[in-house]
Amino acid sequence: TGEMAMNEEVAFNGAPAGTDLKVSWPKAPGKVMTIALKATDTEAFFTGVDLFPWSIDIPHEEVNFDSGKSDIRPEEAPKLDKSLALITEAYSKYSQWADIKLFVLGFTDTVGGTDYNRTLSLSRARSMASYFRKRGLKAPIRFEGFGEQALEVQTPDETDEIRNRRARYILSIEDPVTQAPFRPKWQSL
């Protein structure tokens, strides 16, 4: 909502080092976008940290690609148009309070080699990100391909599984947390 949820001091009464300290705030309408903490010890030394726990997964219908290809088929465009409308609405609503980016995550099934699938998923994610940009999305866009390394449905190698050929659209302030066994190298569009 753009309103501050809490701006108060919380005393921990000399809790020993290593003690988990909990801070809570009253329930309020809206979503928490930023948490700013400033901790001061008994000698008035302080440190601070800003946390950005806010993100939104955009629900969507999966775009189907031809095998081994990354170009968007004309009959799949309406699916991306529906996603674009949801992304644009959420971006317009929340971007006034934070530096929000769209992250496009691409995935494949296990047909083909790991390196090939990683490259293919990256190309598909770039293709979807480009589609959104060409249709006027103003949000900064980052994309990455995860190939077969973050399967939705566990399958043996060389298994054609449509549920693994998918994408995720995440609006977030910070890089999203993923289940991938590698650190994503987000590319900017």
Side-chain angles (χ1 to χ4, degrees):
T1 62
E3 298 297 319
M4 190 171 297
M6 184 177 104
N7 185 15
E8 297 177 21
E9 287 188 19
V10 178
F12 293 110
N13 303 320
T19 302
D20 287 341
L21 305 174
K22 297 183 187 215
V23 175
S24 61
W25 49 88
K27 187 161 178 62
K31 293 181 172 277
V32 174
M33 296 186 80
T34 304
I35 300 171
L37 298 173
K38 180 179 172 185
T40 306
D41 70 8
T42 56
E43 302 296 321
F45 289 103
F46 70 89
T47 188
V49 63
D50 290 339
L51 307 170
F52 303 94
W54 181 90
S55 69
I56 296 177
D57 263 308
I58 302 296
H60 63 280
E61 189 177 354
E62 296 298 353
V63 173
N64 294 307
F65 290 90
D66 289 332
S67 183
K69 304 230 178 190
S70 61
D71 39 319
I72 297 166
R73 300 185 332 224
E75 64 270 20
E76 296 297 307
K79 295 176 183 178
L80 285 173
D81 292 338
K82 286 180 186 175
S83 295
L84 177 59
L86 295 172
I87 292 165
T88 301
E89 179 184 346
Y91 182 73
S92 295
K93 183 175 181 180
Y94 295 110
S95 64
Q96 60 188 314
W97 295 303
D99 181 21
I100 297 169
K101 296 173 259 331
L102 173 66
F103 293 86
V104 179
L105 296 74
F107 304 90
T108 65
D109 58 24
T110 59
V111 175
T114 301
D115 291 341
Y116 172 79
N117 281 333
R118 181 92 186 274
T119 301
L120 178 60
S121 66
L122 178 65
S123 184
R124 289 176 175 174
R126 180 185 300 115
S127 188
M128 288 182 276
S130 294
Y131 185 95
F132 294 144
R133 177 65 74 226
K134 288 176 185 173
R135 279 157 185 78
L137 183 64
K138 302 290 187 222
I141 303 175
R142 309 287 185 268
F143 62 93
E144 175 62 289
F146 294 84
E148 62 186 64
Q149 295 176 303
L151 298 173
E152 182 76 13
V153 178
Q154 292 301 315
T155 64
D157 201 24
E158 298 301 319
T159 301
D160 181 356
E161 173 55 66
I162 196 165
R163 293 174 292 175
N164 286 329
R165 295 191 308 266
R166 67 195 197 287
R168 283 183 68 194
Y169 310 125
I170 301 172
L171 281 171
S172 184
I173 297 170
E174 294 184 328
D175 293 0
V177 175
T178 69
Q179 300 299 320
F182 58 87
R183 183 178 173 92
K185 294 179 183 172
W186 299 102
Q187 297 185 34
S188 296
L189 186 62

